[in-house]
Amino acid sequence: MKLYLRTKTVLDERETQELYRIEHRGLWAMYTLLCAAVVVQLLFGAGAAQLAGEVFVIAVTSVGLIIAYARRGIWDAHARPSARGNAAYSALTALGVAVVLLGRRRNWPLALAVGAAAFALCFALLTALMAYVRRRQQEQADTFEDE
């Protein structure tokens, strides 16, 4: 048990950065593959009971990452929060939802309606999150200027 409670690191700064890069790539590879597995299972007609574990892990990971990033005022490593970006991400989400639903039900009107609803919900959530992240960034900038 002592091994896990050790606080002193044996890595130098370069090794620590490399460790973080490896963990980052591993996390996103696992997350992407888990999402792909759920989509493939949905297209093959898996029931809710078969998907429950994967969906639970995706949901907990997603919510945890979103909360951690937002609390620190981080939006993305490669983009700033914007309505245009929110619309693009929402459109991709809506397209994915519509394609999966179309693959399962073969019902165009239903797929379009649910895709539109997914777009609206995703856009609203991203816009609210964007406002929160911008506020946190401003708070951090104000704190930094005060020091």
Side-chain angles (χ1 to χ4, degrees), residues 54-101:
E54 288 97 335
V55 170
F56 177 76
V57 170
I58 291 169
V60 169
T61 303
S62 298
V63 169
L65 287 172
I66 289 168
I67 290 171
Y69 287 148
R71 287 183 63 208
R72 287 162 184 83
I74 299 170
W75 183 257
D76 186 55
H78 305 289
R80 296 280 175 226
S82 69
R84 183 177 177 189
N86 292 350
Y89 290 129
S90 299
L92 287 173
T93 300
L95 180 64
V97 167
V99 166
V100 168
L101 194 59

Side-chain angles (χ1 to χ4, degrees), residues 18-20 25 28 38 45 48-49 61 83 100-101 111 118 121 126 132 136 140 142:
E18 190 62 30
L19 176 75
Y20 291 154
R25 289 180 188 136
W28 287 108
V38 168
T61 303
V100 168
L101 194 59
L121 178 64
L126 283 173
Y132 178 76
R136 290 292 297 157
Q140 290 172 348
D142 292 344

